[in-house]
Amino acid sequence: RSRIRPCIASIPDTSVYNNIHQQLLPSPLSHSVADRQSLYNTNIMMLTTATRRIASKVATSQSKGMSTVAFQTATSSFADVTPAYVAEAPTPTISELGNGVKVVSLFGGSATGSSYTSVRVSGVGSRFDKVGGEHALLANLTGGEVGREHLSFSSVAAASSALTGNVAGDVEAAKAYQISKVANSSYETQMMDQVHFTAYQNSPSGNSLANALEGTADSISSLSASSVSSLGANVFGSDVCVVCTGSGEHDKLVEEVDNALGSLKSAGSGKEVAAVGEKAAFIGSDIRIRYDSHDTATIALAFEGASWTDPKAVPLALMTTILGSFNVSSGLGKDVSPALCQEVAINGVASSVAAFNLSYSDTGLFGMVATAPDNKLDDLMWYAMPNFVRLAHGISEEELVRAKITLKARILSSLDGDIATGEEMARQMQTIGRVMPLAEMLARVDALTMDDVKATANDVINDQDHALAAIGGIHELPDYNWIRRHSYMLRY
């Protein structure tokens, strides 16, 4: 089988880096007890080594202007003893059917009680629409959800119906619901669709991230039952991952999945994780929808980011927390922590702003989405662009530590509950080829340095083309060349 090397964050201790690198080389589906124990021990060593190094570095930073409160907050999370919820985090049981379907379970001690199933299917989704909206319609008919490169279902039976063409339900009613949903979607949702459209506008039909996530009213209207019933024909067993959490027995789960999805064809050996036929080409461009009657505007600004397995993926996630998010209704007001959000709040240039980082199989988008008064757009961009660019030149140690704490909190919250844990495990299985231990996740965050952030920002933001989508009263929004010029600083 093809071995996909997951992204490796820069780890200060070279010996630790080499150790974990060697541990990740074996197949991610290895079930050997010795392999799991060895990787577990290495993960704990990584976490301990990284946190001690960072604690030492933070201690020397207090003399550089870090506030007492920030210093105490940062150092309080660096205990010599790894927390029990990390050190004793359970590991899933993984099996693979003969046709390549992965079956993953993380059950408690009891075989009775509630269980929660998450089925994730790759190789389908809006990216692979040929008309527009057919994968979203299939998801609506079977109780699933559509992504740009996947479909997800909450039961094995629903996934089986979708993939075998046994789709029941009123197609016309589902189309009407989907059209209504698209028509009433928020401007933020619409602009995220539009920024994908303009960034990947030259992508080939049938493999285009430019496709709207749920289609357009015209494309949805043209769909028929036959448009969706055959969508599962090109899905292989290796495209499917079934995860079950809560209570249950792994062997019974494998038997259930085999009965429902065992008939899917096999892709053979050598199929890579989240592989696509042709890499998406990012194009610097913008799309502007102007309504002078509107007194607000919504914009989405994006740079080309990183794929799931790109080494820049973890630093970009950290950069998202450095930029942060702000909403006037949040109650924090001018006391919000990130510098970008502080400047937005203090100067009243936007009602909401949020950084985002989207990863796909071969590319990604990193940027922000914001809503602002029509007469504040020039001011918003004046404050936003320097905050993006300064990531390539260095931020304060206090910001770096705070961002790491925030990112680790997000990681833990993504595993809050059986349903969320199942969905996260399914995503990891299909994007990096394995379920990453919690200790390793936190170690990768702790191991990031200022140099990692600067190098990543230099590749992604500094003097790089961008894609932009805007709607509303945008008469004060600077043109493309102005924003492009402010993607770098003239520093000598």
Side-chain angles (χ1 to χ4, degrees), residues 71-340:
F71 173 77
Q72 292 176 345
T73 301
T75 55
S76 64
S77 63
F78 300 118
D80 286 337
V81 180
T82 303
Y85 62 82
V86 175
E88 301 173 10
T91 57
T93 303
I94 304 174
S95 298
E96 182 174 336
L97 303 184
N99 60 354
V101 175
K102 281 82 173 177
V103 183
V104 184
S105 67
L106 188 64
F107 293 133
S110 174
T112 59
S114 301
S115 63
Y116 307 92
T117 302
S118 298
V119 183
R120 197 177 194 274
V121 185
S122 62
V124 289
S126 65
R127 177 171 186 164
F128 307 100
D129 285 344
K130 295 182 178 179
V131 178
E134 55 262 41
H135 284 94
L137 182 59
L138 175 63
N140 287 334
L141 286 168
T142 54
E145 293 184 6
V146 64
R148 297 196 184 273
E149 292 185 320
H150 74 278
L151 293 177
S152 59
F153 304 91
S154 58
S155 70
V156 176
S160 178
S161 297
L163 299 180
T164 58
N166 298 321
V167 180
D170 189 337
V171 175
E172 293 303 317
K175 286 166 60 178
Y177 166 78
Q178 190 168 327
I179 291 173
S180 175
K181 184 178 179 181
V182 170
N184 293 294
S185 61
S186 66
Y187 279 149
E188 287 85 356
T189 300
Q190 293 180 38
M191 289 306 98
M192 291 306 295
D193 264 350
Q194 293 291 348
V195 80
H196 280 82
F197 172 76
T198 191
Y200 302 108
Q201 57 187 275
N202 282 356
S203 299
S205 175
N207 179 22
S208 177
L209 286 169
N211 294 336
L213 184 61
E214 301 204 50
T216 64
D218 290 339
S219 66
I220 297 169
S221 298
S222 66
L223 297 176
S224 62
S226 60
S227 301
V228 299
S229 60
S230 61
L231 291 177
N234 295 323
V235 173
F236 297 99
S238 53
D239 295 322
V240 182
C241 180
V242 179
V243 179
C244 195
T245 57
S247 301
E249 297 180 10
H250 183 77
D251 291 341
K252 290 184 178 180
L253 174 63
V254 172
E255 182 180 355
E256 177 189 355
V257 175
D258 194 19
N259 292 334
L261 302 174
S263 61
L264 293 177
K265 55 188 177 182
S266 173
S269 61
K271 185 177 186 300
E272 294 187 352
V273 173
V276 295
E278 183 178 344
K279 185 182 184 303
F282 180 91
I283 297 177
S285 55
D286 63 13
I287 182 168
R288 300 173 182 233
I289 306 170
R290 178 170 171 172
Y291 294 114
D292 287 342
S293 59
H294 290 196
D295 58 3
T296 62
T298 300
I299 65 171
L301 172 71
F303 297 89
E304 184 174 19
S307 67
W308 290 111
T309 54
D310 193 304
K312 296 192 292 289
V314 180
L316 282 173
L318 183 65
M319 289 160 57
T320 304
T321 63
I322 293 172
L323 294 173
S325 62
F326 164 77
N327 191 296
V328 291
S329 62
S330 66
L332 291 175
K334 301 175 183 179
D335 296 322
V336 65
S337 298
L340 168 62

Side-chain angles (χ1 to χ4, degrees), residues 394-415:
I395 58 175
S396 70
E397 195 69 39
E398 181 174 340
E399 287 180 282
L400 182 64
V401 172
R402 183 172 57 232
K404 287 183 178 182
I405 294 172
T406 303
L407 181 54
K408 288 189 287 186
R410 288 185 182 180
I411 291 173
L412 293 173
S413 66
S414 71
L415 303 173

